[in-house]
């Protein structure tokens, strides 16, 4: 081994997984940099990943619970014992005919993640900790354009032409990074003469960089886009070529009829943006050579599918699909299937829907993934018996976190200790979720493991594959969760796990591309078929049944959603008098979710520059009405909980909203616990409690809620 070398691999300080170079000196990780192969970008979080690799709080041995769930008392056990506990329980569950009552929550690094393979082979319920964030958009894109089932495909900002428009509708690209290169690419595009327009109730960093900040009412985005669509259609300012060539016959007429009364004036009354501004942005878009729209929080609401639908209609009638600066529609990389391919259980046959039993409303819209949000509900209804979490921390991140903690502690009905019979958490450091787990399993960090990252689209890779590889030796007895699932597969479902190990699994998948893990390493860890390509539909049509864009969704006629409804999310419309404010949560670059992994980073949270509290942002007018001064302690209460927090009076937030940084409130971890941060999820209701407000795609009405505040009495 050379004394010092730069090894190409992939970051995992956040879910963007940028390509990086890691400098390793005599077997010790020393430094991180962006990988020049994919644009040389790494953010501060990514570069500070080094300080976590050797953090004294890293878990290094499997642990077994000895106290009650939640007490956090453990004893070390061997891997053999841990494997036996899991394998025995899973064998039992399957024998009882309840295999579908296993679920694993994890972040899938690839659509061929071996954990998924295990769930499908065993018959477990597919559940994931991530791509629900914008599942409504994914479904909307599939329904309208036959797009690919890929989490977050933002506009390719590096392709925005001069005069192009970038609309951020509930997207904080400079804070909620989804790739370290995005902020740079946005700024570069602005330098080239593109315009940035930010729709956000909060004056974020993006808003500060924007050419125009529009402080929209939370969940008003559908109405806003419908208002623009009305203006474009009525005034014949749409892309006539695209509409006549690429929209399914008859759909445009249906749209015309539907939007006749969705005038900017009518929509203004819903979204609280003036009709004049709705028209102005519509006109700007009609004139611009391209418009790209990005959203995350805008699409994480109870009317999420409606917004996804309005968003796709807007892109279609302005011709901004698969063009430079518009919405990319990537191709699929042809990976080779590892035979035999397990199909997974037929949940409908088992009487199951994606939100658990008896949710008829959701029956027809089953998607490949199940949000974590319904775990508490499923446990209460005896629908979830074994839960394995990896790379997620629902005890803190789950909306209605207290409900999750309560549900995992519910006693069994027939003398069992708990209704949820086994709870396993793979982690790097002890987390809130680990405190409830029966088994805490020490995972390998992203510097210690193999992983083939494969999604149809990654921002700075284009489509293709990226290899994460071990650059240093694993600490202690750490084992990668994927290896553990493969071993469970070999024990319980051997016909689907005939390959030797993860590397061979990846070699088979890569074989159709003429690649292997070895070859990928020689190539610098990255393979892509080349340029992303534009307007690919001209050659092959869209992936919809008609080969054209579908604006009208006849399969949703029965539930009144064949066209997007303009209404605000029901959660925000209810109990307005009792709870006069909408609380919105947001992210910033230093923190990743609620994760121990970044909150414990001493480089990001040192005594001088670290962020140790998340004050409640309140507009100066609202504060004046309530007699509040900057720094006052306030009580904030919602339908589900109450917190005390310091008020921070600012101008840059709507007077009817309050802002709270998401991800604070850690109760474990030396650095993570520093300061007075509070968790927003004490206030936000559990999704199981608000099923009636949930959207067809799985209910996203979670990241905000209605609250009231009052000064805390001394
Ligand atoms: N640093 C960092 N980066 C991350 C993450 C992280 O935890 N930390 N998490 C990753 C994950 S899992 C995700 S899902 C993404 C999330 O990425 P984003 O959604 O971009 O991140 P947020 O800051 O939570 O929310 C964006 C903005 O939406 C605004 N907003 C809230 N409600 C509405 C609304 O109804 N309409 C509109 N127009 N705006 C609204 C908020 O004020 C906020 O400024 O970030 C990813 N990247
Ligand atoms: N109020 C509110 N709640 C929200 C959101 C919001 O905006 N507002 N956002 C929601 C969204 S979009 C999402 S995606 C979820 C995210 O919620 P989670 O998926 O729970 O994500 P994190 O909170 O970042 O927790 C990640 C955990 O993984 C651990 N980890 C990091 N790397 C590894 C690894 O390599 N191996 C293992 N085993 N563990 C690792 C970290 O230590 C951390 O404990 O939160 C949701 N909750
Ligand atoms: S955005 Fe930053 S933390 Fe996230 S993967 Fe990229 S470099 Fe790492
Ligand atoms: Mo997310």
């Amino acid at each position: 081994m050379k004394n010092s070398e730069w090894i190409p691999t992939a970051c995992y300080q956040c879910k963007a997984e940028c390509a990086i170079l890691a400098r390793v000196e005599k077997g010790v990780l020393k430094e991180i940099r962006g990988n020049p192969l994919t644009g040389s970008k790494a953010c501060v979080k990514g570069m500070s990943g080094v300080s976590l690799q050797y953090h004294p709080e890293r878990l290094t041995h499997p642990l077994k619970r000895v106290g009650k769930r939640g007490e956090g008392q453990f004893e070390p056990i061997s891997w053999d014992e841990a494997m036996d506990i899991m394998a025995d329980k899973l064998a039992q569950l399957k024998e009882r005919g309840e295999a579908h009552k296993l679920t694993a929550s994890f972040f899938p690094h690839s659509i061929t993640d071996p954990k998924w393979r295990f769930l499908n082979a065993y018959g477990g319920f597919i559940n994931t900790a991530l791509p629900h964030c914008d599942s409504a958009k994914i479904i909307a894109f599939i329904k309208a354009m036959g797009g690919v089932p890929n989490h977050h495909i933002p506009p390719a900002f590096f392709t925005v032409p001069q005069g192009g428009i970038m609309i951020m509708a509930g997207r904080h690209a400079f804070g909620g990074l989804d790739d370290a290169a995005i902020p740079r690419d946005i700024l570069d595009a602005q330098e080239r003469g593109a315009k940035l327009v930010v729709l956000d109730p909060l004056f974020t960093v993006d808003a500060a960089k924007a050419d125009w900040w529009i402080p929209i009412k939370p969940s008003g985005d559908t109405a806003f886009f419908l208002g623009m669509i009305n203006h474009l259609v009525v005034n014949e300012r749409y892309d006539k070529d695209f509409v006549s060539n690429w929209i399914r016959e008859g759909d445009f007429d249906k749209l015309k009829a539907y939007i006749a009364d969705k005038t900017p004036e009518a929509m203004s009354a819903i979204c609280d943006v003036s009709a004049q501004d709705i028209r102005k942005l519509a006109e700007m878009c009609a004139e611009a050579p391209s418009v790209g729209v990005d959203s995350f929080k805008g699409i994480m609401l109870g009317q999420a599918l409606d917004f996804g639908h309005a968003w796709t209609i807007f892109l279609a009638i302005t011709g901004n699909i698969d063009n430079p600066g518009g919405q990319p529609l990537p191709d699929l990389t042809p990976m080779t299937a590892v035979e035999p391919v397990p199909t997974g259980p037929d949940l409908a046959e088992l009487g199951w829907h994606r939100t658990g039993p008896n949710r008829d409303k959701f029956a027809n819209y089953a998607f490949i993934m199940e949000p974590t949000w319904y775990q508490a509900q499923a446990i209460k209804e005896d629908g979830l018996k074994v839960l394995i979490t990896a790379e997620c921390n629902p005890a803190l991140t789950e909306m209605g976190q207290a409900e999750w903690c309560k549900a995992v502690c519910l006693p069994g009905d027939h003398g069992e200790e708990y209704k949820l019979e086994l709870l396993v958490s793979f982690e790097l450091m002890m987390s809130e979720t680990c405190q409830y787990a029966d088994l805490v399993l020490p995972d390998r960090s992203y510097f210690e493991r193999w992983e083939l990252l494969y999604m149809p689209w990654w921002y700075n890779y284009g489509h293709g594959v990226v290899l994460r590889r071990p650059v240093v030796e694993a600490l202690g007895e750490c084992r990668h969760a994927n290896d553990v699932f493969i071993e469970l597969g070999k024990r319980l479902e051997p016909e689907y796990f005939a390959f030797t190990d993860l590397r061979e699994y990846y070699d088979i998948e890569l074989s159709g591309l003429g690649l292997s893990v070895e070859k990928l390493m020689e190539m610098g860890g990255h393979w892509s078929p080349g340029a992303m390509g534009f307007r690919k539909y001209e050659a092959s049509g869209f992936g919809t049944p008609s080969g054209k864009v579908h604006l009208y969704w006849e399969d949703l006629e029965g539930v009144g959603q064949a066209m997007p409804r303009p209404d605000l999310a029901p959660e925000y419309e209810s109990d307005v008098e009792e709870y006069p404010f909408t609380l919105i949560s947001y992210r910033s670059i230093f923190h990743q979710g609620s994760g121990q992994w970044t909150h414990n980073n001493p480089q990001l949270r040192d005594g001088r520059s670290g962020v140790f509290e998340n004050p409640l942002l309140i507009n100066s007018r609202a504060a004046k009405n309530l007699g509040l001064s900057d720094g006052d302690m306030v009580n904030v209460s919602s339908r589900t909980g109450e917190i005390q927090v310091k008020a921070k009076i600012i101008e840059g937030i709507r007077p009817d909203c309050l802002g709270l940084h998401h991800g604070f409130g850690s109760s474990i971890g030396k650095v993570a616990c520093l300061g007075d941060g509070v968790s927003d999820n004490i206030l936000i209701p559990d999704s199981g409690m608000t099923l009636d407000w949930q959207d067809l795609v799985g209910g996203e009405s979670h990241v905000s809620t209605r609250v009231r505040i009052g000064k805390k009495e001394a």
Side-chain angles (χ1 to χ4, degrees):
M1 189 187 275
K2 281 179 253 159
N3 255 354
S4 174
E5 57 179 328
W6 286 97
I7 306 175
T9 185
C11 182
Y12 185 45
Q13 275 297 303
C14 90
K15 291 154 183 171
E17 309 200 82
C18 299
I20 51 167
L21 299 177
R23 188 166 70 81
V24 175
E25 205 177 292
K26 295 185 183 132
V28 179
L29 177 69
K30 293 285 186 184
E31 203 181 338
I32 302 294
R33 227 187 237 173
N35 186 338
L37 259 186
T38 59
S40 298
K41 280 281 149 187
C43 76
V44 287
K45 251 189 352 245
M47 291 188 286
S48 69
V50 179
S51 65
L52 283 161
Q53 175 61 23
Y54 305 109
H55 196 290
E57 291 174 36
R58 276 284 303 274
L59 292 163
T60 52
H61 299 279
L63 300 173
K64 185 178 157 187
R65 173 174 65 84
V66 289
K68 295 250 160 228
R69 280 192 189 155
E71 287 177 0
Q73 293 178 43
F74 301 97
E75 63 181 22
I77 55 165
S78 68
W79 268 108
D80 283 348
E81 192 183 341
M83 294 304 299
D84 287 346
I85 293 173
M86 287 188 284
D88 289 351
K89 175 51 84 182
L90 290 174
Q92 238 182 54
L93 194 71
K94 189 156 185 170
E95 225 176 272
R96 277 165 27 198
E98 295 188 344
H100 60 290
K101 296 186 178 179
L102 157 73
T103 204
S105 275
F106 57 90
F107 173 62
H109 298 269
S110 144
I111 57 174
T112 59
D113 196 306
K115 298 184 210 74
W116 255 327
R117 182 180 186 84
F118 178 81
L119 285 172
N120 278 334
Y122 170 83
F125 202 82
I126 300 297
N127 182 303
T128 168
L130 183 74
H132 47 64
C133 323
D134 63 349
S135 54
K137 172 194 163 186
I138 297 172
I139 299 216
F141 279 22
I142 291 172
K143 289 178 86 65
M145 308 188 273
V148 292
N150 194 156
H151 170 64
H152 198 223
I153 304 177
F157 296 107
F158 47 89
T159 67
V160 178
Q162 182 180 12
I165 295 181
M166 303 171 281
I167 300 179
M168 301 289 179
R171 171 83 186 118
H172 185 199
F174 286 74
L177 286 180
D178 247 273
D179 191 287
I182 285 181
R184 174 201 62 189
D185 291 348
I186 291 174
L187 296 175
D188 283 353
Q190 275 181 300
E191 203 121 286
R192 289 195 298 275
K195 297 263 178 279
L196 176 65
V197 179
V198 172
L199 292 148
D200 199 308
L202 187 63
F203 187 73
T204 55
V205 178
D206 295 46
K209 305 277 183 198
D211 297 275
W212 189 9
W213 171 48
I214 301 176
I216 194 169
K217 197 168 189 170
S219 91
D221 306 73
T222 317
F224 184 91
F225 275 83
L226 284 170
M228 287 209 290
I229 292 167
N230 170 289
H231 177 90
L232 294 167
V233 171
V234 169
N235 297 289
E236 300 202 11
R237 299 285 280 142
Y238 54 89
D239 182 333
K240 297 199 174 96
D241 279 347
F242 189 90
V243 167
S244 60
N245 293 322
W246 293 108
I247 287 183
R248 180 174 55 165
E249 187 136 2
D251 277 22
F252 192 69
D253 291 332
K254 286 181 181 147
L255 175 70
K256 252 181 167 167
Y258 180 72
I259 52 87
D261 61 351
K262 313 285 181 300
T263 59
E265 287 70 20
M267 297 302 98
S268 165
I270 300 172
C271 66
D272 199 25
V273 178
S274 74
Q276 196 189 355
D277 282 351
I278 296 176
R279 289 184 193 280
K280 181 174 149 190
L281 185 56
E283 276 299 316
M284 281 167 62
C285 293
E287 284 297 315
S290 76
V291 187
V293 180
D294 199 4
S295 178
F296 244 123
K297 250 1 79 78
I299 193 91
M300 293 178 69
L301 307 158
Q303 40 52 300
L305 192 61
D306 293 306
F307 177 43
H309 196 171
W311 179 357
T312 38
I313 293 174
F314 173 82
L315 292 173
I317 67 164
T318 57
N320 279 295
I321 298 176
D322 221 20
N323 56 324
Q327 177 58 47
L329 280 187
D331 280 331
L332 284 169
T333 299
M335 302 295 276
T336 304
V338 180
E339 299 289 348
V341 179
T343 50
D346 185 337
L347 295 172
E349 202 170 90
L350 290 160
W352 269 67
H353 307 317
R354 62 190 308 280
T355 51
N358 308 323
R359 305 263 171 266
D360 290 340
K361 171 171 144 188
F362 303 98
N364 298 320
Y365 311 103
F367 185 46
I368 49 168
M369 295 163 207
E370 160 75 358
T372 48
W373 326 143
Y374 301 104
Q375 283 170 5
Q377 186 74 13
I379 294 167
K380 288 182 216 165
E381 295 176 357
D382 284 316
L384 178 56
K385 290 294 171 190
V386 178
L387 172 60
I388 306 179
T389 66
E391 308 178 19
C392 62
N393 184 18
L396 193 58
T397 44
E398 201 61 62
M399 285 63 65
Q401 60 184 81
E403 204 58 28
W404 187 93
C405 298
K406 215 160 79 191
V408 300
C409 293
L410 287 175
D413 300 323
H414 310 288
E416 309 89 353
E417 190 177 9
Y418 297 111
K419 259 181 182 298
L420 178 68
E421 294 169 24
L422 182 66
L423 173 55
V424 179
S425 177
F426 284 91
E427 256 294 352
L428 296 164
M429 292 182 193
M430 192 55 86
S431 71
E432 284 76 9
T433 300
C434 292
Q435 299 287 74
Y436 290 88
D438 306 313
L439 292 178
V440 174
L441 302 177
D443 205 358
R444 289 195 173 190
S445 80
Y446 62 99
F447 296 115
E448 301 167 344
R449 67 196 197 213
W450 291 107
E451 217 152 26
L452 187 67
L453 308 180
Y454 159 55
M455 287 279 173
W457 171 254
W458 239 293
Y459 186 82
N460 68 5
Y461 311 152
H463 74 280
V465 292
V466 166
L467 185 71
R468 168 174 291 136
R469 71 175 91 167
V471 300
V472 292
E473 295 266 315
L475 292 191
E477 295 173 26
C478 290
R479 273 196 203 175
H480 185 198
N482 282 1
D483 294 329
V484 174
F485 271 90
I486 289 174
E487 194 182 324
L488 283 174
K490 285 177 179 295
R491 286 203 197 184
L492 295 165
E493 308 296 335
E495 69 274 31
Y496 295 105
F497 289 84
F499 46 90
T500 39
D501 56 15
L502 197 54
R503 267 192 75 168
E504 191 184 321
Y505 180 71
Y506 292 150
D507 277 339
I508 299 171
E509 294 194 304
L510 288 166
S511 60
L513 297 169
L515 294 173
S516 63
V517 169
E518 197 65 40
K519 255 199 192 146
L520 256 186
M521 284 206 284
E522 285 162 19
M523 292 163 64
H526 174 227
W527 176 87
S528 159
M532 56 192 292
F534 293 114
R535 299 193 177 88
K536 297 179 286 296
Y537 57 82
E538 285 178 354
S540 48
F542 285 92
T544 51
S546 71
K548 299 210 170 171
V549 177
H550 293 190
L551 305 183
Y552 185 84
W553 297 346
E554 50 281 352
D555 57 326
L556 300 190
E557 271 169 359
V559 285
Q561 284 184 258
M563 280 288 174
R565 302 164 302 179
D567 319 73
L568 296 181
E571 176 159 5
Y572 304 167
E573 289 273 72
S574 320
D575 311 325
V576 177
E577 271 167 30
E578 196 179 347
Y579 299 106
F581 292 93
T582 302
L583 177 87
I584 48 177
S585 59
Y586 64 97
R587 290 158 160 77
S588 67
I589 188 169
F590 303 103
H591 290 229
Q592 171 63 29
S594 69
Q596 298 306 308
W597 195 235
T598 43
H599 278 230
N600 266 316
N601 191 321
Q603 272 183 296
L604 292 176
R605 297 185 105 219
D606 69 80
R608 290 168 307 280
S609 60
V611 180
F612 297 107
E613 57 179 17
N614 55 342
L616 184 78
L617 306 181
I618 173 166
N619 178 278
S620 56
R621 259 190 290 158
K624 198 165 164 216
N625 288 340
L626 292 159
L628 290 177
S629 311
D630 200 56
D632 277 351
M633 284 303 284
V634 289
N635 281 323
V636 189
S637 48
S638 71
R639 301 176 185 101
T640 47
E642 183 174 318
I643 58 168
Q644 278 83 46
V645 61
K646 206 185 272 175
K648 182 169 175 180
I649 297 174
I650 61 169
E651 301 302 320
I653 186 167
R654 286 177 58 92
D656 55 359
C657 291
L658 302 168
L660 197 62
H661 192 305
H662 169 61
F664 280 80
S666 297
S667 58
I668 188 162
K670 209 163 159 196
V671 183
C673 280
L674 293 175
D676 296 319
V678 290
S679 172
D680 45 3
N681 285 324
I682 295 171
L683 297 170
I684 294 169
D686 156 54
S687 298
M689 293 156 76
T690 56
L691 279 178
D692 288 347
W693 292 339
Q694 307 296 309
D695 196 76
L696 292 175
V697 286
E700 323 264 2
S701 68
H702 59 271
V703 286
S704 311
T705 194
R706 294 210 71 96
V707 295
R708 66 164 173 265
I709 58 171
K711 196 166 169 172
K712 186 172 174 257
E713 300 309 326

